Amino acid sequence: MKRENMHQSFEIVYRKVDECPARDLQFSFFQMVYVITGNGFLHVNGNCIAYQAGNLMLMTPNDSHNFDIVDISEFLLVRINSEYVKEYSSKNINCIECLLYYASHLSGCILKQKEDEFLVKSIVGCLLHALKHKDIYNEDLTAHYVNALIVIAVRNISKMKPVGIKENADKRILEIINHIQSNIFSPPSLKASFIAAKFDISPTYLGSYFKHQCGETIQQFIAHYRMRLIEHRLNFSDRRINEIVNEFGFSDESHLNKFFKKHRSISLTGYRKTKKPPILQSKS
């Protein structure tokens, strides 16, 4: 696996390609990919997601990814150092890093607000112009454009938060959500007692605090998030059921099937047959 690091705050790269230059890329930084033209498939951590012109996709540090190019594609890559994201300050957003990590590649394009598609396209145009026309003020202008993309990305990703979460949810609840997502494959780290100790909250208070902030219990949130990921594995990957069992820490296939049927009223294999994209069905 090829791993790339970056030391500057951000980097803008334009590429026009007919095939991915390398397989199984892994970065130590955030990367936003805007599709200018073309279409194909993005593979992230074993999952397959279709892309097309106008999509904005986000890869977080340590994601393993590569592209299958169907039609010649033009990309604008916006690479952002993790430290830059961590130190980014916003008047309205408590924890930008947490929200960016919240993007779990479940939907490919992170743009959920139609009006933001025009904004992003305009910003990309400005960044392309800056790349072609070097100027003493380019660095400052580019920083403003990158910051605008970060805020737009966060604004759209925030739409993927728990439905009932408060608009002014505090930093700690976002950090708890980030912890749950980061440790979703490690059941011991999802226990209420572990989370309470990690975030210095009384175990008896954690439940009411989470429900008050998010509109659902912490157990419901964990179950819903785990279900979304399992559905994604079934929809977009060719992993075997026993591989999914091991990945999510279930005791056996029966345990996973029982969990899945409780939430979707259908078996794992039944769901996969009805939902799996034809491109992956042919590989099963």
Side-chain angles (χ1 to χ4, degrees), residues 3-11 27-31 58-63 78-89 96-98 100-101 150:
R3 182 175 177 83
E4 289 188 26
N5 299 306
M6 185 176 70
H7 302 292
Q8 65 266 43
S9 296
F10 52 80
E11 179 184 23
F27 299 148
S28 64
F29 46 84
F30 291 91
Q31 176 170 269
L58 172 69
M59 272 74 83
T60 57
N62 299 319
D63 284 336
V78 181
R79 297 171 168 177
I80 309 166
N81 190 293
S82 297
E83 289 301 313
Y84 184 82
V85 170
K86 185 179 294 184
E87 295 170 5
Y88 188 98
S89 61
I96 280 182
E97 185 182 26
C98 293
L100 288 182
Y101 270 108
I150 290 173

Side-chain angles (χ1 to χ4, degrees), residues 15-18 35 37-40 51 69 71-75:
R15 282 187 180 159
K16 184 175 183 179
V17 293
D18 57 5
V35 185
T37 62
N39 63 82
Y51 74 80
I69 312 296
D71 292 324
I72 294 175
S73 300
E74 292 179 276
F75 299 117

